[in-house]
Amino acid sequence: MSAQAVAARITRPRLGATFRVVLLAALALGLTVALLGGSAGDVLNAGLVAATFRYATPIVFAALGGILSERSGIVNIGLEGMMLGGAFFGLWGAYVTGSWPLGILLAVVAGGVLALAHAAASVTLRANQIVSGLAVNLLAVGLTGFLFRTTFSDIGAPPGLQRIPDVRLESLPGPLAVMFDGQNLLVWVMFLLVPAVHFLLYRTVGGLRLRAVGESPGAAATAGISVTRIRYLAVVGSGMIAALGGCFLSLGFVGTFTENMTAGRGFIALAAVIFGGWTPRGAFLAALLFGGSTALAQRLQLTAGISADLLSIAPYALTLIALVGLVGRHRAPRALGQPYPPSA
Amino acid sequence: MTARTRAASGWRTDLLVAIPAPALIVIVAGGLVLVTLGIAALAIAITGHDPVQALLGIGKGMGIGAFLPGVEGRERTSAVRNLQQVLIFATPLLLTAVATALPLRAGLFNIGAQGQYLFGAYAAIAVGTADLGSLGPFHAVLATLAACAAGAAFAGAAVMLRTLSGANEVIVTIMFNWIAIFLGKWALATGGPLHGDDPDLPRSFEVLESARLPAIWGNLQAVHAGIFVALAVVLLFGWLMSRTSLGFRLRAVGANPFAARVAGMPIRRTLLVAFALGGACAGLAGAMDLLGWRGQLTASELEIISGVGIVGIAVALLGAGRPLGIVLATLLFAGLQVGTSSRNIDPTVLPSELAGNLATMLQGVIVLAVAGSAFLLPRLQAQRAAALATREAVARAAQTPEEAIA
């Protein structure tokens, strides 16, 4: 690859993800209309959009985290575990302190600590990044289950929990009110975080360094950038953002914690990162698509009477279709998965 | 003093040089065990239970007592039963570990042993509950082969997606796991193809007697012939990798796919074979569990029983993908799993729902520590060798020319 191409790659976000998301969304909607015929309007309405935002939010958070980590060159299979950590510690923190902001804070710290374990193993000890990420997932499943059983075994769902508040926007006109009124605060945080991560990556020195480290760590190091430091920051930051997604699930959406409640959303988020071409905007759209498929499946189950088990497959199947059929020619960060320095 | 001689001094280097090379391995391994036990003890202590008693309780639940002298009477009976449980659980675990280790040698991560195990289980149930006339023991063989084929097909489909489109195999196989779980729930629900005769329960028929594997040790929950099948597969895996041209091709593709392609090896076909063989092993694991032990599938337990596919990844990594390593790691993890199960652990020492999660957590810690030390150990060894060489050079330089000649 020429120096020019590398420069273009580092300085400019890509287009194309939008097109593919629209294409797949059209496919899903077309299928629904074909399935339901005249009653499709009962399912395809503003309420579906609102549900899409809710289901997409945890995936968007995790995907934004995944972008930070992967653009710095570290594969983060551990997103799932970091979300789970955020889900438990957010709920627990809010329960113990009686304050949801402290719950969110604890969730972010927990996600950061789990990510730190991943960073220590994969950056400093140069372990295989997939192995290290899987280990973090196992660790998180066991740890959160263990602590959940220890603290909440007798009460199930914690009583008197202060959940993250919903944002009331009743004055919005008609369908906009259905879409945006009563969405959780973290949904709005998610909406703001997408452009924020975009800005960080493409408009700040730190973002340029992060991408440079992910593309060519050797060159970045020659230019005086500490590859280790950037990668640690990126991975820990990625865990913190992913934890917000988990925290939304437990403390914002459901109001309780169940063992392994993330149910593969961290991996769907990784697929969203890839499908979205490693850009915040692309990943956001891809996550909306996956969230939308969950929302649609939920509604079809009620309207069309299709087996709930079969419809539960929809988001996973759509993730596969997206990965396989429409990945396009996006290239992963060049140094993704490679430890630095390359040999001991 | 040059940088090189400085590097060869200091207490850390003194210590490193003072330790003999083989002892270094033992110390790093011992350190891993201590770290793991330390974390376990800490976690138990936080919950207000006695760590020593709890860890001993887990050991007891593993059936270690069966090997100790002086354990008699009812104690012995229960220890033997616990040991039998470990072997029953080790059977599928050996196979799912191979299901991960084999494709890994060819350079691909198969995280899908969970789904492949389930597909094997579905096939085993479908064939094992069907009345196929007087097949005799061939009924079990047929059900087993069907399970292998189902697992291989499911894994093969996953890797085809990878080789044809470049989709990441880790994510593809994880999506396949969830799809396998929900397909199974649908198939076992009322009206589904695997549903039995109870209209209120999402449960299959029982496997027919002709398709059951023979019991070899114990009654009630006996160790079944599957353990021999599993051990044979592990040995076969070792032989395949080290003694056959297919094994060589797998290793070559895993070590350097570009070089392998230049050497004329068919990359895609090799990866397909690796995944299909791995999937067949995972499917076999499902068949052994169903035909030898469980006999019946229930929708609500699919996720739990197929967890053996996830633990298999940890076993393959801990066992470094080698047959002996896999056997030892399987015994450790099967022991952990069984020792912490509700049937085996004394709830006054540590409640089993805590202990089960503790086992998962420890698996994570072990894999993380092993993955990290895979780098640490060679580096320590290299540092030791470098320090020794430097000291020798310094000592030689310090000699007078006369001494050096003499």
PDB file of all heavy atoms in Angstrom, chain A residues 125-127 139 142-143 145-146 149-150 259 263 267 307 309 320 324, chain B residues 43 47 165 170-171 174 176 178 182 186 353-354 357 361 365 371 375:
ATOM      1  N   LEU A 125       1.886  -8.422  28.246  1.00  0.00           N
ATOM      2  CA  LEU A 125       2.337  -9.815  28.193  1.00  0.00           C
ATOM      3  C   LEU A 125       2.199 -10.401  26.790  1.00  0.00           C
ATOM      4  O   LEU A 125       2.555 -11.552  26.557  1.00  0.00           O
ATOM      5  CB  LEU A 125       1.562 -10.664  29.204  1.00  0.00           C
ATOM      6  CG  LEU A 125       1.843 -10.312  30.655  1.00  0.00           C
ATOM      7  CD1 LEU A 125       1.000 -11.150  31.591  1.00  0.00           C
ATOM      8  CD2 LEU A 125       3.310 -10.510  30.983  1.00  0.00           C
ATOM      9  N   ARG A 126       1.675  -9.628  25.854  1.00  0.00           N
ATOM     10  CA  ARG A 126       1.594 -10.013  24.456  1.00  0.00           C
ATOM     11  C   ARG A 126       0.916 -11.368  24.266  1.00  0.00           C
ATOM     12  O   ARG A 126       1.287 -12.154  23.401  1.00  0.00           O
ATOM     13  CB  ARG A 126       2.992 -10.020  23.833  1.00  0.00           C
ATOM     14  CG  ARG A 126       3.661  -8.659  23.961  1.00  0.00           C
ATOM     15  CD  ARG A 126       5.151  -8.732  24.117  1.00  0.00           C
ATOM     16  NE  ARG A 126       5.691  -9.678  23.182  1.00  0.00           N
ATOM     17  CZ  ARG A 126       6.025  -9.384  21.942  1.00  0.00           C
ATOM     18  NH1 ARG A 126       5.870  -8.163  21.511  1.00  0.00           N
ATOM     19  NH2 ARG A 126       6.519 -10.288  21.153  1.00  0.00           N
ATOM     20  N   ALA A 127      -0.098 -11.634  25.077  1.00  0.00           N
ATOM     21  CA  ALA A 127      -0.873 -12.863  24.915  1.00  0.00           C
ATOM     22  C   ALA A 127      -1.710 -12.759  23.646  1.00  0.00           C
ATOM     23  O   ALA A 127      -1.928 -11.662  23.127  1.00  0.00           O
ATOM     24  CB  ALA A 127      -1.795 -13.054  26.118  1.00  0.00           C
ATOM     25  N   LEU A 139     -14.198 -14.812  33.026  1.00  0.00           N
ATOM     26  CA  LEU A 139     -13.996 -14.168  34.317  1.00  0.00           C
ATOM     27  C   LEU A 139     -15.227 -13.345  34.699  1.00  0.00           C
ATOM     28  O   LEU A 139     -15.724 -13.422  35.827  1.00  0.00           O
ATOM     29  CB  LEU A 139     -12.762 -13.270  34.218  1.00  0.00           C
ATOM     30  CG  LEU A 139     -12.277 -12.574  35.468  1.00  0.00           C
ATOM     31  CD1 LEU A 139     -11.814 -13.611  36.465  1.00  0.00           C
ATOM     32  CD2 LEU A 139     -11.131 -11.630  35.134  1.00  0.00           C
ATOM     33  N   GLY A 142     -18.360 -15.526  35.553  1.00  0.00           N
ATOM     34  CA  GLY A 142     -18.224 -16.131  36.874  1.00  0.00           C
ATOM     35  C   GLY A 142     -18.308 -15.098  37.977  1.00  0.00           C
ATOM     36  O   GLY A 142     -19.039 -15.266  38.952  1.00  0.00           O
ATOM     37  N   LEU A 143     -17.584 -14.001  37.810  1.00  0.00           N
ATOM     38  CA  LEU A 143     -17.508 -12.974  38.851  1.00  0.00           C
ATOM     39  C   LEU A 143     -18.881 -12.349  39.116  1.00  0.00           C
ATOM     40  O   LEU A 143     -19.319 -12.249  40.267  1.00  0.00           O
ATOM     41  CB  LEU A 143     -16.510 -11.891  38.427  1.00  0.00           C
ATOM     42  CG  LEU A 143     -16.280 -10.759  39.415  1.00  0.00           C
ATOM     43  CD1 LEU A 143     -15.491 -11.270  40.605  1.00  0.00           C
ATOM     44  CD2 LEU A 143     -15.540  -9.609  38.762  1.00  0.00           C
ATOM     45  N   GLY A 145     -21.857 -13.526  38.305  1.00  0.00           N
ATOM     46  CA  GLY A 145     -22.772 -14.533  38.834  1.00  0.00           C
ATOM     47  C   GLY A 145     -22.521 -14.765  40.309  1.00  0.00           C
ATOM     48  O   GLY A 145     -23.439 -14.825  41.127  1.00  0.00           O
ATOM     49  N   PHE A 146     -21.250 -14.889  40.647  1.00  0.00           N
ATOM     50  CA  PHE A 146     -20.834 -15.129  42.030  1.00  0.00           C
ATOM     51  C   PHE A 146     -21.308 -14.000  42.941  1.00  0.00           C
ATOM     52  O   PHE A 146     -21.959 -14.222  43.961  1.00  0.00           O
ATOM     53  CB  PHE A 146     -19.307 -15.230  42.056  1.00  0.00           C
ATOM     54  CG  PHE A 146     -18.722 -15.627  43.375  1.00  0.00           C
ATOM     55  CD1 PHE A 146     -18.709 -16.953  43.766  1.00  0.00           C
ATOM     56  CD2 PHE A 146     -18.170 -14.678  44.206  1.00  0.00           C
ATOM     57  CE1 PHE A 146     -18.154 -17.320  44.978  1.00  0.00           C
ATOM     58  CE2 PHE A 146     -17.618 -15.045  45.415  1.00  0.00           C
ATOM     59  CZ  PHE A 146     -17.611 -16.365  45.806  1.00  0.00           C
ATOM     60  N   ARG A 149     -25.173 -13.803  43.220  1.00  0.00           N
ATOM     61  CA  ARG A 149     -25.724 -14.794  44.147  1.00  0.00           C
ATOM     62  C   ARG A 149     -25.411 -14.433  45.590  1.00  0.00           C
ATOM     63  O   ARG A 149     -26.179 -14.711  46.489  1.00  0.00           O
ATOM     64  CB  ARG A 149     -25.153 -16.182  43.842  1.00  0.00           C
ATOM     65  CG  ARG A 149     -25.531 -16.708  42.481  1.00  0.00           C
ATOM     66  CD  ARG A 149     -27.012 -17.015  42.411  1.00  0.00           C
ATOM     67  NE  ARG A 149     -27.341 -17.681  41.177  1.00  0.00           N
ATOM     68  CZ  ARG A 149     -28.163 -18.717  41.096  1.00  0.00           C
ATOM     69  NH1 ARG A 149     -28.746 -19.183  42.169  1.00  0.00           N
ATOM     70  NH2 ARG A 149     -28.406 -19.268  39.939  1.00  0.00           N
ATOM     71  N   THR A 150     -24.229 -13.834  45.797  1.00  0.00           N
ATOM     72  CA  THR A 150     -23.849 -13.467  47.158  1.00  0.00           C
ATOM     73  C   THR A 150     -24.724 -12.338  47.684  1.00  0.00           C
ATOM     74  O   THR A 150     -25.195 -12.373  48.817  1.00  0.00           O
ATOM     75  CB  THR A 150     -22.379 -13.002  47.181  1.00  0.00           C
ATOM     76  OG1 THR A 150     -21.595 -13.951  46.488  1.00  0.00           O
ATOM     77  CG2 THR A 150     -21.874 -12.878  48.600  1.00  0.00           C
ATOM     78  N   GLU A 259     -28.118 -13.624  35.438  1.00  0.00           N
ATOM     79  CA  GLU A 259     -26.811 -14.153  35.068  1.00  0.00           C
ATOM     80  C   GLU A 259     -26.696 -14.216  33.555  1.00  0.00           C
ATOM     81  O   GLU A 259     -27.616 -14.644  32.871  1.00  0.00           O
ATOM     82  CB  GLU A 259     -26.611 -15.527  35.705  1.00  0.00           C
ATOM     83  CG  GLU A 259     -26.299 -15.392  37.191  1.00  0.00           C
ATOM     84  CD  GLU A 259     -26.187 -16.733  37.885  1.00  0.00           C
ATOM     85  OE1 GLU A 259     -25.264 -17.479  37.557  1.00  0.00           O
ATOM     86  OE2 GLU A 259     -27.025 -17.006  38.752  1.00  0.00           O
ATOM     87  N   ALA A 263     -26.235 -11.874  26.875  1.00  0.00           N
ATOM     88  CA  ALA A 263     -26.686 -12.820  25.845  1.00  0.00           C
ATOM     89  C   ALA A 263     -26.078 -12.580  24.466  1.00  0.00           C
ATOM     90  O   ALA A 263     -26.770 -12.554  23.462  1.00  0.00           O
ATOM     91  CB  ALA A 263     -28.213 -12.799  25.748  1.00  0.00           C
ATOM     92  N   PHE A 267     -20.836  -9.618  21.271  1.00  0.00           N
ATOM     93  CA  PHE A 267     -20.352 -10.182  20.013  1.00  0.00           C
ATOM     94  C   PHE A 267     -21.100  -9.574  18.833  1.00  0.00           C
ATOM     95  O   PHE A 267     -20.518  -9.345  17.769  1.00  0.00           O
ATOM     96  CB  PHE A 267     -20.502 -11.696  20.027  1.00  0.00           C
ATOM     97  CG  PHE A 267     -19.695 -12.343  21.115  1.00  0.00           C
ATOM     98  CD1 PHE A 267     -20.310 -12.908  22.203  1.00  0.00           C
ATOM     99  CD2 PHE A 267     -18.320 -12.352  21.048  1.00  0.00           C
ATOM    100  CE1 PHE A 267     -19.569 -13.482  23.214  1.00  0.00           C
ATOM    101  CE2 PHE A 267     -17.568 -12.920  22.049  1.00  0.00           C
ATOM    102  CZ  PHE A 267     -18.199 -13.494  23.139  1.00  0.00           C
ATOM    103  N   SER A 307     -43.353 -18.648  16.167  1.00  0.00           N
ATOM    104  CA  SER A 307     -42.681 -19.145  17.362  1.00  0.00           C
ATOM    105  C   SER A 307     -41.652 -18.143  17.884  1.00  0.00           C
ATOM    106  O   SER A 307     -40.805 -17.646  17.130  1.00  0.00           O
ATOM    107  CB  SER A 307     -41.990 -20.478  17.043  1.00  0.00           C
ATOM    108  OG  SER A 307     -40.827 -20.625  17.828  1.00  0.00           O
ATOM    109  N   ASP A 309     -39.172 -18.669  19.744  1.00  0.00           N
ATOM    110  CA  ASP A 309     -37.821 -19.221  19.664  1.00  0.00           C
ATOM    111  C   ASP A 309     -37.221 -18.972  18.293  1.00  0.00           C
ATOM    112  O   ASP A 309     -36.066 -18.568  18.173  1.00  0.00           O
ATOM    113  CB  ASP A 309     -37.849 -20.718  19.961  1.00  0.00           C
ATOM    114  CG  ASP A 309     -38.287 -21.002  21.383  1.00  0.00           C
ATOM    115  OD1 ASP A 309     -37.855 -20.254  22.284  1.00  0.00           O
ATOM    116  OD2 ASP A 309     -39.064 -21.940  21.591  1.00  0.00           O
ATOM    117  N   LEU A 320     -25.146 -12.468  10.899  1.00  0.00           N
ATOM    118  CA  LEU A 320     -24.416 -13.342   9.976  1.00  0.00           C
ATOM    119  C   LEU A 320     -24.541 -12.851   8.540  1.00  0.00           C
ATOM    120  O   LEU A 320     -23.554 -12.742   7.817  1.00  0.00           O
ATOM    121  CB  LEU A 320     -24.962 -14.768  10.067  1.00  0.00           C
ATOM    122  CG  LEU A 320     -24.401 -15.656  11.155  1.00  0.00           C
ATOM    123  CD1 LEU A 320     -25.045 -17.016  11.084  1.00  0.00           C
ATOM    124  CD2 LEU A 320     -22.893 -15.780  11.002  1.00  0.00           C
ATOM    125  N   VAL A 324     -21.462 -11.711   6.251  1.00  0.00           N
ATOM    126  CA  VAL A 324     -21.074 -12.550   5.138  1.00  0.00           C
ATOM    127  C   VAL A 324     -21.364 -11.885   3.803  1.00  0.00           C
ATOM    128  O   VAL A 324     -20.501 -11.753   2.947  1.00  0.00           O
ATOM    129  CB  VAL A 324     -21.820 -13.895   5.211  1.00  0.00           C
ATOM    130  CG1 VAL A 324     -21.634 -14.678   3.935  1.00  0.00           C
ATOM    131  CG2 VAL A 324     -21.329 -14.682   6.400  1.00  0.00           C
TER     132      VAL A 324
ATOM    133  N   ALA B  43     -12.110 -14.660  47.029  1.00  0.00           N
ATOM    134  CA  ALA B  43     -13.526 -14.559  46.665  1.00  0.00           C
ATOM    135  C   ALA B  43     -14.396 -15.263  47.701  1.00  0.00           C
ATOM    136  O   ALA B  43     -15.455 -14.762  48.087  1.00  0.00           O
ATOM    137  CB  ALA B  43     -13.755 -15.148  45.274  1.00  0.00           C
ATOM    138  N   THR B  47     -17.334 -13.669  50.755  1.00  0.00           N
ATOM    139  CA  THR B  47     -18.718 -14.072  50.992  1.00  0.00           C
ATOM    140  C   THR B  47     -18.930 -14.570  52.415  1.00  0.00           C
ATOM    141  O   THR B  47     -20.028 -14.994  52.760  1.00  0.00           O
ATOM    142  CB  THR B  47     -19.138 -15.192  50.030  1.00  0.00           C
ATOM    143  OG1 THR B  47     -18.345 -16.353  50.335  1.00  0.00           O
ATOM    144  CG2 THR B  47     -18.912 -14.812  48.596  1.00  0.00           C
ATOM    145  N   SER B 165     -16.295 -15.608   2.260  1.00  0.00           N
ATOM    146  CA  SER B 165     -16.587 -14.177   2.328  1.00  0.00           C
ATOM    147  C   SER B 165     -15.602 -13.400   3.189  1.00  0.00           C
ATOM    148  O   SER B 165     -15.651 -12.182   3.234  1.00  0.00           O
ATOM    149  CB  SER B 165     -17.989 -13.956   2.890  1.00  0.00           C
ATOM    150  OG  SER B 165     -17.969 -14.135   4.291  1.00  0.00           O
ATOM    151  N   VAL B 170     -14.610 -16.116  14.458  1.00  0.00           N
ATOM    152  CA  VAL B 170     -14.986 -16.079  15.874  1.00  0.00           C
ATOM    153  C   VAL B 170     -16.444 -15.618  16.014  1.00  0.00           C
ATOM    154  O   VAL B 170     -17.258 -16.253  16.688  1.00  0.00           O
ATOM    155  CB  VAL B 170     -14.044 -15.140  16.658  1.00  0.00           C
ATOM    156  CG1 VAL B 170     -14.535 -14.958  18.076  1.00  0.00           C
ATOM    157  CG2 VAL B 170     -12.632 -15.687  16.661  1.00  0.00           C
ATOM    158  N   ILE B 171     -16.762 -14.526  15.333  1.00  0.00           N
ATOM    159  CA  ILE B 171     -18.130 -14.000  15.438  1.00  0.00           C
ATOM    160  C   ILE B 171     -19.119 -14.948  14.770  1.00  0.00           C
ATOM    161  O   ILE B 171     -20.202 -15.209  15.300  1.00  0.00           O
ATOM    162  CB  ILE B 171     -18.198 -12.590  14.836  1.00  0.00           C
ATOM    163  CG1 ILE B 171     -17.300 -11.671  15.659  1.00  0.00           C
ATOM    164  CG2 ILE B 171     -19.620 -12.069  14.834  1.00  0.00           C
ATOM    165  CD1 ILE B 171     -17.176 -10.290  15.110  1.00  0.00           C
ATOM    166  N   ILE B 174     -19.843 -17.846  17.046  1.00  0.00           N
ATOM    167  CA  ILE B 174     -20.635 -17.448  18.220  1.00  0.00           C
ATOM    168  C   ILE B 174     -22.099 -17.240  17.828  1.00  0.00           C
ATOM    169  O   ILE B 174     -23.018 -17.664  18.539  1.00  0.00           O
ATOM    170  CB  ILE B 174     -20.047 -16.177  18.868  1.00  0.00           C
ATOM    171  CG1 ILE B 174     -18.758 -16.542  19.587  1.00  0.00           C
ATOM    172  CG2 ILE B 174     -21.033 -15.553  19.846  1.00  0.00           C
ATOM    173  CD1 ILE B 174     -17.937 -15.365  20.012  1.00  0.00           C
ATOM    174  N   PHE B 176     -23.566 -18.761  15.436  1.00  0.00           N
ATOM    175  CA  PHE B 176     -24.065 -20.120  15.214  1.00  0.00           C
ATOM    176  C   PHE B 176     -24.475 -20.777  16.534  1.00  0.00           C
ATOM    177  O   PHE B 176     -25.432 -21.537  16.582  1.00  0.00           O
ATOM    178  CB  PHE B 176     -23.003 -20.969  14.505  1.00  0.00           C
ATOM    179  CG  PHE B 176     -23.139 -20.952  13.000  1.00  0.00           C
ATOM    180  CD1 PHE B 176     -23.313 -19.768  12.325  1.00  0.00           C
ATOM    181  CD2 PHE B 176     -23.094 -22.130  12.266  1.00  0.00           C
ATOM    182  CE1 PHE B 176     -23.447 -19.740  10.950  1.00  0.00           C
ATOM    183  CE2 PHE B 176     -23.233 -22.119  10.889  1.00  0.00           C
ATOM    184  CZ  PHE B 176     -23.406 -20.925  10.228  1.00  0.00           C
ATOM    185  N   TRP B 178     -25.756 -19.337  19.205  1.00  0.00           N
ATOM    186  CA  TRP B 178     -27.074 -18.841  19.625  1.00  0.00           C
ATOM    187  C   TRP B 178     -28.159 -19.402  18.734  1.00  0.00           C
ATOM    188  O   TRP B 178     -29.251 -19.737  19.194  1.00  0.00           O
ATOM    189  CB  TRP B 178     -27.086 -17.308  19.609  1.00  0.00           C
ATOM    190  CG  TRP B 178     -26.291 -16.747  20.736  1.00  0.00           C
ATOM    191  CD1 TRP B 178     -25.025 -16.237  20.678  1.00  0.00           C
ATOM    192  CD2 TRP B 178     -26.678 -16.676  22.113  1.00  0.00           C
ATOM    193  NE1 TRP B 178     -24.604 -15.851  21.926  1.00  0.00           N
ATOM    194  CE2 TRP B 178     -25.598 -16.101  22.821  1.00  0.00           C
ATOM    195  CE3 TRP B 178     -27.830 -17.034  22.816  1.00  0.00           C
ATOM    196  CZ2 TRP B 178     -25.638 -15.884  24.192  1.00  0.00           C
ATOM    197  CZ3 TRP B 178     -27.867 -16.811  24.180  1.00  0.00           C
ATOM    198  CH2 TRP B 178     -26.780 -16.242  24.862  1.00  0.00           C
ATOM    199  N   PHE B 182     -31.496 -21.604  19.994  1.00  0.00           N
ATOM    200  CA  PHE B 182     -32.902 -21.255  19.765  1.00  0.00           C
ATOM    201  C   PHE B 182     -33.587 -22.231  18.817  1.00  0.00           C
ATOM    202  O   PHE B 182     -34.771 -22.514  18.976  1.00  0.00           O
ATOM    203  CB  PHE B 182     -33.020 -19.810  19.269  1.00  0.00           C
ATOM    204  CG  PHE B 182     -32.805 -18.810  20.372  1.00  0.00           C
ATOM    205  CD1 PHE B 182     -31.700 -17.986  20.377  1.00  0.00           C
ATOM    206  CD2 PHE B 182     -33.709 -18.718  21.418  1.00  0.00           C
ATOM    207  CE1 PHE B 182     -31.495 -17.081  21.407  1.00  0.00           C
ATOM    208  CE2 PHE B 182     -33.512 -17.815  22.452  1.00  0.00           C
ATOM    209  CZ  PHE B 182     -32.401 -16.995  22.446  1.00  0.00           C
ATOM    210  N   TRP B 186     -36.950 -24.354  19.770  1.00  0.00           N
ATOM    211  CA  TRP B 186     -38.114 -24.473  18.883  1.00  0.00           C
ATOM    212  C   TRP B 186     -38.409 -25.944  18.594  1.00  0.00           C
ATOM    213  O   TRP B 186     -39.561 -26.377  18.658  1.00  0.00           O
ATOM    214  CB  TRP B 186     -37.834 -23.716  17.583  1.00  0.00           C
ATOM    215  CG  TRP B 186     -38.767 -24.062  16.483  1.00  0.00           C
ATOM    216  CD1 TRP B 186     -40.056 -23.647  16.340  1.00  0.00           C
ATOM    217  CD2 TRP B 186     -38.491 -24.930  15.370  1.00  0.00           C
ATOM    218  NE1 TRP B 186     -40.602 -24.198  15.205  1.00  0.00           N
ATOM    219  CE2 TRP B 186     -39.666 -24.982  14.597  1.00  0.00           C
ATOM    220  CE3 TRP B 186     -37.362 -25.646  14.952  1.00  0.00           C
ATOM    221  CZ2 TRP B 186     -39.741 -25.738  13.429  1.00  0.00           C
ATOM    222  CZ3 TRP B 186     -37.429 -26.393  13.796  1.00  0.00           C
ATOM    223  CH2 TRP B 186     -38.616 -26.435  13.046  1.00  0.00           C
ATOM    224  N   GLU B 353     -24.537 -22.660  44.198  1.00  0.00           N
ATOM    225  CA  GLU B 353     -24.702 -21.661  43.133  1.00  0.00           C
ATOM    226  C   GLU B 353     -23.541 -20.663  43.168  1.00  0.00           C
ATOM    227  O   GLU B 353     -23.163 -20.109  42.154  1.00  0.00           O
ATOM    228  CB  GLU B 353     -26.058 -20.956  43.225  1.00  0.00           C
ATOM    229  CG  GLU B 353     -26.266 -20.094  44.433  1.00  0.00           C
ATOM    230  CD  GLU B 353     -26.938 -20.858  45.566  1.00  0.00           C
ATOM    231  OE1 GLU B 353     -26.847 -22.096  45.587  1.00  0.00           O
ATOM    232  OE2 GLU B 353     -27.539 -20.215  46.440  1.00  0.00           O
ATOM    233  N   LEU B 354     -22.956 -20.473  44.343  1.00  0.00           N
ATOM    234  CA  LEU B 354     -21.739 -19.668  44.429  1.00  0.00           C
ATOM    235  C   LEU B 354     -20.572 -20.433  43.840  1.00  0.00           C
ATOM    236  O   LEU B 354     -19.796 -19.919  43.046  1.00  0.00           O
ATOM    237  CB  LEU B 354     -21.424 -19.332  45.891  1.00  0.00           C
ATOM    238  CG  LEU B 354     -22.248 -18.260  46.565  1.00  0.00           C
ATOM    239  CD1 LEU B 354     -21.653 -17.954  47.927  1.00  0.00           C
ATOM    240  CD2 LEU B 354     -22.263 -17.016  45.719  1.00  0.00           C
ATOM    241  N   ASN B 357     -20.328 -20.587  39.989  1.00  0.00           N
ATOM    242  CA  ASN B 357     -19.816 -19.349  39.408  1.00  0.00           C
ATOM    243  C   ASN B 357     -18.335 -19.174  39.701  1.00  0.00           C
ATOM    244  O   ASN B 357     -17.590 -18.639  38.884  1.00  0.00           O
ATOM    245  CB  ASN B 357     -20.605 -18.150  39.933  1.00  0.00           C
ATOM    246  CG  ASN B 357     -21.933 -17.991  39.219  1.00  0.00           C
ATOM    247  OD1 ASN B 357     -21.962 -18.007  38.000  1.00  0.00           O
ATOM    248  ND2 ASN B 357     -23.006 -17.862  39.962  1.00  0.00           N
ATOM    249  N   MET B 361     -15.291 -18.449  37.067  1.00  0.00           N
ATOM    250  CA  MET B 361     -14.364 -17.345  37.284  1.00  0.00           C
ATOM    251  C   MET B 361     -12.927 -17.840  37.267  1.00  0.00           C
ATOM    252  O   MET B 361     -12.056 -17.247  36.628  1.00  0.00           O
ATOM    253  CB  MET B 361     -14.687 -16.726  38.645  1.00  0.00           C
ATOM    254  CG  MET B 361     -14.202 -15.341  38.848  1.00  0.00           C
ATOM    255  SD  MET B 361     -15.035 -14.683  40.297  1.00  0.00           S
ATOM    256  CE  MET B 361     -13.874 -15.076  41.561  1.00  0.00           C
ATOM    257  N   VAL B 365      -9.571 -16.900  35.073  1.00  0.00           N
ATOM    258  CA  VAL B 365      -8.283 -16.510  35.649  1.00  0.00           C
ATOM    259  C   VAL B 365      -7.174 -17.419  35.112  1.00  0.00           C
ATOM    260  O   VAL B 365      -6.101 -16.946  34.720  1.00  0.00           O
ATOM    261  CB  VAL B 365      -8.343 -16.586  37.188  1.00  0.00           C
ATOM    262  CG1 VAL B 365      -6.965 -16.387  37.787  1.00  0.00           C
ATOM    263  CG2 VAL B 365      -9.302 -15.543  37.733  1.00  0.00           C
ATOM    264  N   ALA B 371      -2.306 -17.621  29.281  1.00  0.00           N
ATOM    265  CA  ALA B 371      -2.048 -16.866  28.051  1.00  0.00           C
ATOM    266  C   ALA B 371      -0.926 -15.859  28.279  1.00  0.00           C
ATOM    267  O   ALA B 371      -0.066 -15.672  27.417  1.00  0.00           O
ATOM    268  CB  ALA B 371      -3.326 -16.155  27.603  1.00  0.00           C
ATOM    269  N   PHE B 375       4.019 -15.931  27.243  1.00  0.00           N
ATOM    270  CA  PHE B 375       5.022 -14.973  26.805  1.00  0.00           C
ATOM    271  C   PHE B 375       6.086 -14.798  27.884  1.00  0.00           C
ATOM    272  O   PHE B 375       7.279 -14.705  27.607  1.00  0.00           O
ATOM    273  CB  PHE B 375       4.357 -13.635  26.509  1.00  0.00           C
ATOM    274  CG  PHE B 375       5.303 -12.478  26.423  1.00  0.00           C
ATOM    275  CD1 PHE B 375       6.191 -12.377  25.373  1.00  0.00           C
ATOM    276  CD2 PHE B 375       5.299 -11.509  27.393  1.00  0.00           C
ATOM    277  CE1 PHE B 375       7.073 -11.317  25.293  1.00  0.00           C
ATOM    278  CE2 PHE B 375       6.173 -10.442  27.317  1.00  0.00           C
ATOM    279  CZ  PHE B 375       7.064 -10.346  26.270  1.00  0.00           C
TER     280      PHE B 375
END
